[in-house]
Amino acid sequence: MGFTSGYLRMYTESGNLLLSQLLHEDPVLKVKCSTYQPRRHAGAAEQLEELTILYPNALVTIDGFSLYQSLRACRNQVARAAAGGSDVQPPPLAYKKWGLGHQDNMVDHVSCGVVTPSLFDQLQTASILGGYGATITHNPPAAARYITSGTSPYVAFFFAVEGTAPPIISEVAAAVASKLKSALISGVGGWLGWKGKPQGEDPKQKPKVEPATPLPLRFGLPDLRRHGDSIVLSPGRQLAATTDSFGRVILIDTDKGVAIRIWKGYRDAQCGWVQVTEDRDRDAMVTDTPPREALFLIIYAPRRGILEVWAMQQGPRVAAFNVGKQCRLLCPGYTMMGLNSVTFYSNKPPTYQCCLVEPSGVLKIINVPFHLILSGANSKRARDLHLLKKLSTILSIPSSQEGSLEKQLVDVISDIRIVALKRQGLEKVLSHKILPAEPMQRVIRTVKNNIQLALEKEDPDSIAPESRGLLHFCRVQDQLLDMYITVSQLNKQGIQAMGMAENNPEQTLAATLSLSVSEVLQYLSAVDDYMRESAGTRVHFQDPIHMTPAAFLSCFVCPYHHVDDNAPTVSSLQVSMSSDIDEQLSLKLGTFLFKCGLTGGDSIGELCSCLEVSGIPAADLMSLLLRVWLNSETELIRPRDVSPVSNMHCLLASITRTADAHAIHAEPNVVSPWWHRVRDICTAAEAPASALMASIAARSVAASVVPTNKTVNKEQESQEDKDTDQEALSLSSPSLSTTSTDTLEEWEAVAMDTEHWNLLVNQLEDVVVLSTLLRSKVRDGADRPPSYAETMGREHKVVSVKGLLEGGSGAIAALVANWVARTGILPSMLSVSHHAEGEDEAMEMGADVTAEPRLPELERLADLYRSQLERFPHSLDPEVLHAHCTWEYVVQWNKDPEVVALLERSIEHLKFVGNAYLQHGLGCMMWHTFMVKKFSATAFLMEKVGKAPKDRLCRKDVGLSDAALTNFLGQCNILLQVILEAEVESSHVPVFDIEDLWQATQGPTSIAELAAEQRVSNYQLLQHHIKLSRIMHAVMVFSLKTVKPMSYYFDTKGKNAFFKDLHSYPLLPGSDIDIAIVSARQQFLCRIVSAAVGTLPIPPAYLTKDNSSVSMETDKEKELLQSDLDAYQTLSDNKVVMEACRWADAMLALGQRLEVDVDVVRRHYCNELYSRGYDYLGQEVLNSVNERCQLGCELILLVGKRLSHLLATAEPRRSVQLLSRLPPTLSTWLKQQSPSDVPFPDVPLLQTAQLLSQVVSLLPETHGQYSLAIQLVESIDAMRG
């Protein structure tokens, strides 16, 4: 915003001041801006950004880029000042100031940018300014051109040569000097003892204004009496329009500096510019030349209330509008600031170039069409474009009278003279979404007849190709609309006949397809089973078979030019499918054409006749038919209804008859390209039942059509043997076809295609049966084991012949394995169904065959699986299937590691793999691919924390919860043990075969084959990892502390060997183990044994014992002994007791692998059992102890603690009586025993007596404790007496 004080200030949208600077001390007259514009052609320069401010005798120019950066910085300062409360200190602007002389009373200006004069203009200017001896530079100097409007001269031209005036930045230096001066004065004043005036008391100084650089007038348009009012520059900067005090509008050529046109009678006029780019036709030739541009001058005469549009430069007035007299014409001439050659094209174009603002506030944008520049009011193209717009208007307005609408459309299209625009008009009519087909066809026929009559009157040699192409276009569209109307009528008639079943469908289908009834029953049985399993999976609603004429016509294209002028019949017109049609529209088109014909029986003949004369290529029709058939499996394949298959056979035969005979019937020993494409579609189909029935129908058509086509070929080759060839080829007996060499070649060609069809049909039948299995599932409400399908998804796998052929040799087994995992079939069910002796073998391998109950629903699925073995004896071999089930489960576990049950089921399947090579390889692949990473992370975590980690750390470092991690380590133990026990040396390498129908299978190597190729593992390294896994598992189960599995129990060699590949041979620890490590291992095993025994409950027989009486009769002792025996039997069956004993036995076995003294662990185990009161379990362990004397010494202390507890809990009188019977030394020894460290000292005296008898047998007579044991025996006898 410019002010009369000379200041230039800039504000934000909300009114905050961004920048304020005094550029000149005179009032601001005009402020204009120009933004970036790219070069229009090779010889032009780019239009740079610039801001110009006009003063009465000066012109200030500011570079747009620096202004943009300064404004951005100021905006940031304003935002910070608003947040922090500080003041804004805008930076000074760099600008150029020119002093414009030799012109009076300047009122307006324009900046034409930097221009480079031509050589002639350079020589002319140099000679005028410098005379005869002027110096001429080789490079013409670039200069900035400025044009001003005022008085004397009326229009002045100024040229500022680039580089003559540097930007004025003295204000920056002045500001710095002022601050430096203030600082020096303040410092000197403080030093001298006096202080200057406070800064706030100084009057505000006026900023220093730099003088302008004189810029002489180059030339102008002198007119002493004429006063200029305004000047407006065109977008291309080549023209400028001025207004003056005489009511004239003068058009000036800015390059030549001359007035080229004057308009009179426009007092107080306002001018603007509109530049329009040509919109090319769709049928125009694609070239690299840029589109043409048209320039129009807008003149608003407020006193007359008229707005006129004039074509430049010498063009007529193309439009005039009556507007108000108080309006304002706005022509900005600029866009967004800050753009460059990259961001300019990505930025949105301006909303308008020129607009008219009315006093009421209404904004009217002025848009001028390009065609108005062409040749004026009589332009044929302008007239036709106007008719096209009129046609669009007629189509956009709904009309209740169909006849009047047709007449209007025909009249408008007939009036269009240019052929390309007439075709565009027809396309507008044909693409109308609401217009019915009958009016479209009548319009097309009327236009076609008019064109044909006009062409008949002309000389055939003078007819333009475009006219012939338009006639051909009309014929093709008429033909397509005729087909659309016929098919629509057939669809309405055929809906009533849908769903009608026949009485003898097998015989009907056998007669149609030339098959035996047994073959038809075989195919229908497989398809019915498949559809029965598919029933209920999807809900289908019958949609009306409807398609608008516009959508139907958009699916086809026709060439621009008529190919054959000598073929006027409609049957010779050919169309093709559009290349950019999507899948959804293609399916909709096929449904419209064939759905009713496939479901209704009466309309199939008419539909076939309509398709044969439609002109659509047979390949496109075949593709549409197969697409509809394969996508409507649940609607067309119905029990006891074979009419869709019969109709499919009829349509296939009809389409094949319209195809090229050479494509259908190839040379001998060459596959037919036509049928090869059909087989490819059926091979890739994911609807096996539909693909099977389509293949059977196509095979029948191929067998019946090929001889006929050969007959046609023979007729074309030899007319003299016509009758003989027809007779030979029409016979169906093979014996007659072998009488000649030509007929033999025909038979060979037919046999090759037939062989391919038979192979595909058999493959599709296998796929149907396999898909039936994969779609089967456990019925809702049926009993089943814990399901894992929730973690894997319930959707079945989609199968196709192509998918199986490209999926490798293990594709079938992988699909069945996925089905097994989804249904939850037990591994034992799969193995027992294959081999009767499989259960015994699995029992020998340690597999728990009866771990889960046999459930009827799973047995049903297992029987369904067994039915697949006849078709896939090699692909579903027990070894291969269990291998893929193993891999399927472990892959699913890897997706959800929290469900360790999936990993457990995977290892169960691995146990059922009988071949050692396969079992070993699968185990190694599972370990290396999925488990070793988590296993090593767990080991390092235990090393870091020194105990069993908590749930948070487990989830963070391993990705498992603490409970899942415990189960995972247990499965690691089992897996490593399975790998260790696989006897690879004594087993044979498995050989994997594949069925004959699937010998062409290609693709990735199967899991079973990869497993068989794995290298043999290092036995010692496996043992090494088993040790660590069992230690880690025990730590997690019993939540031990102060434990580091690798550092405490293994040396450096052992730690470095962990987590290596199982087939590698790293350096392992030897037999000379450090004594400290052996001691630590022994202590760890004893801790685990104590923790395991500590989980045992109190024996139930002791809970009912009467502790008040110590002396018992013999009968009572017998009863108690019998109850203890019963309690022992009960405890032996208890899962808790069994689990504790299993852990103790596992630690004893681990002790042997860790090379520690197992007898020490066994003695500790025996003491723990007796301490818990499990004397009968301790008796079993006692018999296996080697150091019996040491054990006797330990058990005699336990007997003393039991007796001490008995005396302490007895009645005082009874306790004194018992102590009086004991020897003094024994009484003193019993008082010294502390029963508090015994977990359960309250044991019946009978069991203590039995334990003491065992102690006496363990100690030799020469032992120092033997006499004490004898005294204890006598004491117990005295207590019982």
Side-chain angles (χ1 to χ4, degrees), residues 982-1140:
E983 299 178 357
V984 179
E985 291 79 4
S986 61
S987 179
H988 64 279
V989 179
V991 178
F992 303 101
D993 297 328
I994 194 169
E995 290 76 19
D996 295 337
L997 291 176
W998 304 96
Q999 290 295 328
T1001 299
Q1002 297 177 354
T1005 307
S1006 66
I1007 294 299
E1009 293 173 346
L1010 289 176
E1013 296 173 358
Q1014 297 297 312
R1015 298 169 61 180
V1016 180
S1017 300
N1018 183 359
Y1019 185 83
Q1020 299 299 330
L1021 187 59
L1022 271 173
Q1023 291 274 15
H1024 194 57
H1025 280 84
I1026 289 176
K1027 297 174 187 178
L1028 179 62
S1029 66
R1030 290 190 175 175
I1031 291 175
M1032 293 168 57
H1033 188 209
V1035 171
M1036 288 299 300
V1037 170
F1038 298 105
S1039 301
L1040 296 186
K1041 297 182 179 180
T1042 319
V1043 174
K1044 292 186 177 181
M1046 293 189 293
S1047 300
Y1048 288 177
Y1049 311 123
F1050 298 95
D1051 56 7
T1052 304
K1053 295 180 182 179
K1055 289 188 291 185
N1056 294 334
F1058 285 125
F1059 320 123
K1060 303 289 185 181
D1061 291 338
L1062 296 181
H1063 56 77
S1064 61
Y1065 286 85
L1067 189 61
L1068 295 173
S1071 58
D1072 51 344
I1073 306 175
D1074 190 3
I1075 299 177
I1077 295 179
V1078 174
S1079 176
R1081 291 176 176 179
Q1082 184 172 302
Q1083 293 178 5
F1084 172 78
L1085 295 177
C1086 293
R1087 289 179 64 185
I1088 297 299
V1089 169
S1090 300
V1093 177
T1095 60
L1096 294 175
I1098 299 175
Y1102 305 158
L1103 298 177
T1104 59
K1105 187 180 80 66
D1106 186 6
N1107 295 329
S1108 61
S1109 63
V1110 178
S1111 178
M1112 289 179 260
E1113 300 293 336
T1114 306
D1115 294 339
K1116 291 183 179 181
E1117 291 177 356
K1118 292 180 179 180
E1119 292 177 2
L1120 182 58
L1121 180 61
Q1122 184 63 36
S1123 64
D1124 288 343
L1125 291 174
D1126 296 340
Y1128 170 72
Q1129 185 68 27
T1130 304
L1131 289 173
S1132 299
D1133 296 336
N1134 193 344
K1135 292 183 179 181
V1136 178
V1137 177
M1138 294 177 63
E1139 184 68 15

Side-chain angles (χ1 to χ4, degrees), residues 636-683:
L636 297 177
I637 307 298
R638 300 186 296 269
R640 306 296 299 174
D641 185 11
V642 297
S643 59
V645 181
S646 301
N647 295 337
M648 179 68 176
H649 179 272
C650 183
L651 288 172
L652 287 173
S654 176
I655 295 174
T656 305
R657 284 194 297 268
T658 62
D660 186 10
H662 298 283
I664 297 176
H665 185 66
E667 297 297 328
N669 298 326
V670 178
V671 179
S672 170
W674 172 262
W675 296 119
H676 179 70
R677 287 192 293 267
V678 176
R679 284 192 295 269
D680 287 344
I681 297 175
C682 295
T683 300

Side-chain angles (χ1 to χ4, degrees), residues 353-561:
Q353 299 184 57
C354 191
C355 67
L356 187 70
V357 182
E358 296 182 350
S360 61
V362 177
L363 185 70
K364 294 184 178 180
I365 300 174
I366 302 172
N367 292 323
V368 184
F370 179 83
H371 66 85
L372 295 179
I373 201 67
L374 295 178
S375 61
N378 296 324
S379 172
K380 185 168 62 174
R381 185 175 186 83
R383 175 179 176 276
D384 289 350
L385 289 173
H386 175 72
L387 291 175
L388 272 182
K389 291 186 177 181
K390 182 179 180 181
L391 182 66
S392 301
T393 305
I394 294 174
L395 291 174
S396 62
I397 299 175
S399 176
S400 58
Q401 298 180 359
E402 189 174 300
S404 61
L405 177 62
E406 293 179 22
K407 186 178 184 305
Q408 293 178 13
L409 295 177
V410 171
D411 292 342
V412 172
I413 296 176
S414 301
D415 289 342
I416 298 177
R417 300 175 184 177
I418 300 177
V419 177
L421 297 182
K422 181 172 290 190
R423 175 161 180 167
Q424 290 185 21
L426 290 175
E427 290 177 350
K428 285 181 178 291
V429 175
L430 296 176
S431 61
H432 197 266
K433 297 181 179 180
I434 305 177
L435 194 63
E438 288 79 3
M440 282 186 182
Q441 189 177 32
R442 288 193 288 268
V443 170
I444 287 291
R445 288 182 176 178
T446 304
V447 174
K448 179 187 68 173
N449 295 333
N450 295 338
I451 296 173
Q452 196 164 0
L453 291 175
L455 294 179
E456 290 177 356
K457 298 178 181 179
E458 297 181 7
D459 185 9
D461 297 333
S462 63
I463 298 176
E466 292 81 3
S467 301
R468 297 178 183 272
L470 180 60
L471 180 60
H472 177 70
F473 174 79
C474 294
R475 290 175 177 174
V476 170
Q477 299 302 321
D478 184 20
Q479 177 178 308
L480 290 175
L481 286 172
D482 193 14
M483 178 184 178
Y484 174 84
I485 296 173
T486 304
V487 174
S488 299
Q489 294 175 355
L490 294 177
N491 289 337
K492 294 179 181 178
Q493 299 173 3
I495 292 177
Q496 302 176 358
M498 296 175 61
M500 298 177 60
E502 300 182 9
N503 296 327
N504 297 318
E506 298 84 3
Q507 296 180 0
T508 303
L509 191 60
T512 303
L513 303 180
S514 301
L515 298 174
S516 62
V517 178
S518 60
E519 291 177 334
V520 172
L521 289 175
Q522 176 183 347
Y523 297 141
L524 292 181
S525 176
V527 171
D528 290 344
D529 293 340
Y530 169 81
M531 298 304 297
R532 190 179 305 110
E533 292 293 341
S534 303
T537 57
R538 295 184 181 91
V539 179
H540 292 274
F541 299 95
Q542 182 177 346
D543 297 330
I545 306 173
H546 178 69
M547 190 177 191
T548 61
F552 176 78
L553 295 176
S554 66
C555 299
F556 303 96
V557 294
C558 67
Y560 278 90
H561 302 289

Side-chain angles (χ1 to χ4, degrees), residues 278-282 284-292 381:
E278 179 185 16
D279 186 11
R280 293 182 173 179
D281 298 333
R282 290 175 297 174
M285 183 178 294
V286 178
T287 61
D288 296 333
T289 58
R292 296 181 296 177
R381 185 175 186 83

